[in-house]
Amino acid sequence: MTLVLEAAVLGILTGGVYALMASGLTLIFGVMRIINVGHGALVVLGAYLSFALFRSLHMDPFLSLVVTMPAMFALGVVLQLVFIRPLKTDREALSVLVTYALALGIEGVLGYVFTTNFVELRAWYETASFAVFGFHITWVYVFGFVLCLTILGALFLMLYRTSFGGAIRATMLNRTAAQLIGVDVDRVAAIAFGIGVATAAAGGVVFGITNAFNPGSHYDLISRLLTIIVLGGLGSLRGAVIAALIMLVSEDITQVLISPVWANFVFFVILVAILIVRPQGLYGVRVRDRI
Amino acid sequence: MSGTPTIAIRAGRLAALKGLGLVLVGILALILPLIAPDPATTGMAVFTVMYVGLASAWNIMGGYTGYISLGHAAFFGFGAYSFGLLLNHLNVAPGYLPFVLVPVAGLLTAVLAVGIGWVALRTRAATFVIVTIAFMFMLQLLGENLVKLTGGGAGLALPYSHDWGGGFFNVPYYYAMLVLAVLALVISWSIRRSKFGLGLLAIRDDEDKALAVGVPTRSFKLTAFVISAVLVGMIGAVYGYYVTYLYPQFAFDPLIGISMVLMAFLGGLGTVSGPVIGALLLEPAQMEFAYRFGASRLYLVFYSAVFLIVILLLPRGIVPSVADLVHRWRRGAAGPTTTARGSREAVKAASP
Amino acid sequence: MSLLEVKDLSKRFGGVVAVDSCSLTVPAGTITGLIGPNGSGKTTVFNLVTGFIAPDGGEVHFKARSIAGMGPDRIYALGIGRTFQLARIFPRLTALENMLVPVRRAGLKALLSRGAWGHEKERAMEMLAFMDISQVAGTLGGALSYGQRKLLELAAVMMAGPELVLLDEPAGGVNPALLERIAERIRELNRQGTTFLLVEHNMGFVMNLCHEVVVLHQGRAIAKGNPREVRENPAVLDAYLGT
């Protein structure tokens, strides 16, 4: 029983990471109606950046965020301007291909620079843990979870308490209407993308601390993230967070109760179930294009 | 109108030229192994024709309906594995006999496609892409974890035709791929000219409007999906037989899935010849690049760069862009009188 | 004989009641107008009848057969066509191809057989000629002017020979000359046996064209009769002027 409890707790902790990464992804979809298939690669990129900083400057991974988050934000804005904004027609379809291409490019460059060997983000306190309910929780997981909560909290605050956040939400709800009330939707799109990529950097740190990774890890990551936002409902942040928790807790419990091999499978089982029962996801809206 | 006869003759000549070109390409394709028998060339030919088939098959769903599937590698791998398992369980001897059983792999793939399609098509275009990716990874997972069935990470062996020594080995596979590619093209072409095909294109343009004029969108989409998947599955089967040993990560390789999409895009989505041109241009380049830079992962940057350039500069693909240019050349070269009169006609037509 | 019978139809979106126990009938062979102030639920009724949204309550009967809850494609196959407020055609298909998309019978033979194809193309060209737009048969839908699109949309909807056609603001955004042409075409099609139900704001258009008029207000039908009766109905004036 403690095993299940431990798995549940672990699920919540890792769910936080995925919630953070998934929020960035669903935010990007909500504002620009594009599916950033390269989000996993950006997370891995963030992880590698922190890794490089650690390797050369012995910088603590959490500390490196001070550098990587702004850097990735800038990268996100640039990517949006150069590769996404020029897409005028067939946006949804083309953006999938563009972002996939970017993911491949990132994977290629990372593979060239860092080789395909698996690496991990290290911290000097990484083995420290504390005991609760008869099992141990490593502090790094808790730090990671707190980080994710903080950033998610900041994200929600920004979205619901600032005027820029209002502009983002307006664009998400109705792009044309937002334009009509004076929102610079192009700027909002670029900045939203930057924010999404910055959250990927944060996610990358926590992901890199808790998992061994290599440039090819983005495939597994993106398939999970995509499944999460489909479950949560494309464009819904609330949905992304809740879906991430559901998915990760289910996965960890399955790992303990059935087998690690089938734990991965849980994601897809839940996805298929959702698609059959409620294709728009938990908080999504059934879309009829125009009536 | 003085210009019309010239235009008509040009149109007739163009059609004749197209027909002639087609015949020439066909003959070249048939005799290729005879005029260039070295294994390097025939090897490249096998993969090139394979991608001609894959891109054309993918186009039937992605190009015509606009529902982009990034998970077609699922059907490719499934076709390969089911074919391998079929051959092994029936103890089929290597040689020419296995080729006869390729349609069976196609049938099995059809069953899978109906299942996946029924679930995946409950969503609209954006989510559909994601779901296809998810299903591909699911199948890859199954391939890795159903060890007793598929051999898991250790792989699955297929019958190996020893007596097809050295230089000859590639040839039967080349013709098998050629048959499948031609099949894909014929099916794609006939769909394009049928009411079913028009329905698919209508779905791509405006799905709700298509519904409003009676197009049974669910069944049309599912049909296109299954046809596309079956062709890909059969090509996967021949591929499996060709490489004689299957590993999950190479049979269900997302890069294969993305390559066929890129080729269809490069050539022109929704056209019949587009995927062919895309494959003919891209596959040899891809193989060359993988050969040179495969180890260092830089060939991924190549994919990435080509992809981005194509999408940003030639978003409609080669064939439609060229067709546009030709159309404009034909109109422009018809002479000033016609153009002036032509514009008066255009004004009259625009009066409502 | 009522071709279309709507009884106590209701639909709410969140807190907003769009259609509130609406009842109306469309007699066969008529041109019926559906009018009402903005927000009275007219387009929602259209969407409910043609299967784009499912009703919360009430019944819709076409030729005495219940069609509530059916999908738009089945409803078209049964014989109800519709046009949209902003004319919708397929931009990447030519005008002729637009005409060939509509499907009345989705049998395997019907879709694959080349035999009926030529016949269909002839009918399409006739229909285009009837709408006076045959010269744009080879032009892509996206390249047509708005007026041409409106005509094309109606022509295409008529291809499968629907008995009832719902027109959503056929007079919207068109110049007076084209307006008269559209009205004439509708009259002619009606003479040939098609029943029409149209939503319109252009009162002159409605009064000249319609045999019957139904007035919606806040999701309910508050008046019906011939154009003159409706025009003089105090409840209708109230609804429009808003007391």
Side-chain angles (χ1 to χ4, degrees), chain A residues 176-185:
Chain A
T176 319
Q179 274 176 308
L180 288 173
I181 61 168
V183 172
D184 184 346
V185 288

PDB file of all heavy atoms in Angstrom, chain A residues 176-185:
ATOM      1  N   THR A 176      -9.964  37.759 -34.097  1.00  0.00           N
ATOM      2  CA  THR A 176     -10.464  38.925 -34.825  1.00  0.00           C
ATOM      3  C   THR A 176     -11.022  39.964 -33.871  1.00  0.00           C
ATOM      4  O   THR A 176     -10.752  41.158 -34.003  1.00  0.00           O
ATOM      5  CB  THR A 176     -11.561  38.519 -35.819  1.00  0.00           C
ATOM      6  OG1 THR A 176     -11.183  37.304 -36.448  1.00  0.00           O
ATOM      7  CG2 THR A 176     -11.768  39.589 -36.853  1.00  0.00           C
ATOM      8  N   ALA A 177     -11.803  39.495 -32.912  1.00  0.00           N
ATOM      9  CA  ALA A 177     -12.385  40.432 -31.958  1.00  0.00           C
ATOM     10  C   ALA A 177     -11.284  41.141 -31.190  1.00  0.00           C
ATOM     11  O   ALA A 177     -11.359  42.343 -30.924  1.00  0.00           O
ATOM     12  CB  ALA A 177     -13.313  39.685 -31.010  1.00  0.00           C
ATOM     13  N   ALA A 178     -10.246  40.390 -30.836  1.00  0.00           N
ATOM     14  CA  ALA A 178      -9.134  41.000 -30.103  1.00  0.00           C
ATOM     15  C   ALA A 178      -8.492  42.099 -30.936  1.00  0.00           C
ATOM     16  O   ALA A 178      -8.165  43.174 -30.433  1.00  0.00           O
ATOM     17  CB  ALA A 178      -8.109  39.937 -29.735  1.00  0.00           C
ATOM     18  N   GLN A 179      -8.308  41.801 -32.231  1.00  0.00           N
ATOM     19  CA  GLN A 179      -7.725  42.820 -33.097  1.00  0.00           C
ATOM     20  C   GLN A 179      -8.589  44.067 -33.113  1.00  0.00           C
ATOM     21  O   GLN A 179      -8.099  45.185 -33.089  1.00  0.00           O
ATOM     22  CB  GLN A 179      -7.614  42.281 -34.530  1.00  0.00           C
ATOM     23  CG  GLN A 179      -6.348  41.510 -34.773  1.00  0.00           C
ATOM     24  CD  GLN A 179      -6.334  40.906 -36.167  1.00  0.00           C
ATOM     25  OE1 GLN A 179      -7.252  40.227 -36.576  1.00  0.00           O
ATOM     26  NE2 GLN A 179      -5.271  41.170 -36.893  1.00  0.00           N
ATOM     27  N   LEU A 180      -9.915  43.818 -33.159  1.00  0.00           N
ATOM     28  CA  LEU A 180     -10.829  44.947 -33.239  1.00  0.00           C
ATOM     29  C   LEU A 180     -10.789  45.833 -32.003  1.00  0.00           C
ATOM     30  O   LEU A 180     -11.073  47.018 -32.077  1.00  0.00           O
ATOM     31  CB  LEU A 180     -12.266  44.448 -33.461  1.00  0.00           C
ATOM     32  CG  LEU A 180     -12.515  43.883 -34.857  1.00  0.00           C
ATOM     33  CD1 LEU A 180     -13.898  43.251 -34.924  1.00  0.00           C
ATOM     34  CD2 LEU A 180     -12.388  44.966 -35.897  1.00  0.00           C
ATOM     35  N   ILE A 181     -10.447  45.234 -30.854  1.00  0.00           N
ATOM     36  CA  ILE A 181     -10.384  46.097 -29.681  1.00  0.00           C
ATOM     37  C   ILE A 181      -8.973  46.618 -29.447  1.00  0.00           C
ATOM     38  O   ILE A 181      -8.656  47.124 -28.380  1.00  0.00           O
ATOM     39  CB  ILE A 181     -10.921  45.411 -28.397  1.00  0.00           C
ATOM     40  CG1 ILE A 181     -10.076  44.170 -28.082  1.00  0.00           C
ATOM     41  CG2 ILE A 181     -12.378  45.057 -28.549  1.00  0.00           C
ATOM     42  CD1 ILE A 181     -10.373  43.627 -26.694  1.00  0.00           C
ATOM     43  N   GLY A 182      -8.121  46.453 -30.445  1.00  0.00           N
ATOM     44  CA  GLY A 182      -6.831  47.106 -30.365  1.00  0.00           C
ATOM     45  C   GLY A 182      -5.679  46.253 -29.883  1.00  0.00           C
ATOM     46  O   GLY A 182      -4.600  46.762 -29.628  1.00  0.00           O
ATOM     47  N   VAL A 183      -5.913  44.943 -29.747  1.00  0.00           N
ATOM     48  CA  VAL A 183      -4.805  44.091 -29.318  1.00  0.00           C
ATOM     49  C   VAL A 183      -3.879  43.827 -30.506  1.00  0.00           C
ATOM     50  O   VAL A 183      -4.334  43.501 -31.591  1.00  0.00           O
ATOM     51  CB  VAL A 183      -5.343  42.743 -28.787  1.00  0.00           C
ATOM     52  CG1 VAL A 183      -4.206  41.782 -28.519  1.00  0.00           C
ATOM     53  CG2 VAL A 183      -6.167  42.963 -27.534  1.00  0.00           C
ATOM     54  N   ASP A 184      -2.585  43.993 -30.290  1.00  0.00           N
ATOM     55  CA  ASP A 184      -1.612  43.700 -31.337  1.00  0.00           C
ATOM     56  C   ASP A 184      -1.380  42.196 -31.342  1.00  0.00           C
ATOM     57  O   ASP A 184      -0.468  41.704 -30.676  1.00  0.00           O
ATOM     58  CB  ASP A 184      -0.314  44.457 -31.050  1.00  0.00           C
ATOM     59  CG  ASP A 184       0.705  44.277 -32.160  1.00  0.00           C
ATOM     60  OD1 ASP A 184       0.527  43.367 -33.008  1.00  0.00           O
ATOM     61  OD2 ASP A 184       1.691  45.026 -32.188  1.00  0.00           O
ATOM     62  N   VAL A 185      -2.233  41.486 -32.083  1.00  0.00           N
ATOM     63  CA  VAL A 185      -2.187  40.028 -31.993  1.00  0.00           C
ATOM     64  C   VAL A 185      -0.852  39.441 -32.430  1.00  0.00           C
ATOM     65  O   VAL A 185      -0.421  38.420 -31.928  1.00  0.00           O
ATOM     66  CB  VAL A 185      -3.338  39.363 -32.785  1.00  0.00           C
ATOM     67  CG1 VAL A 185      -4.652  39.577 -32.075  1.00  0.00           C
ATOM     68  CG2 VAL A 185      -3.400  39.885 -34.186  1.00  0.00           C
TER      69      VAL A 185
END
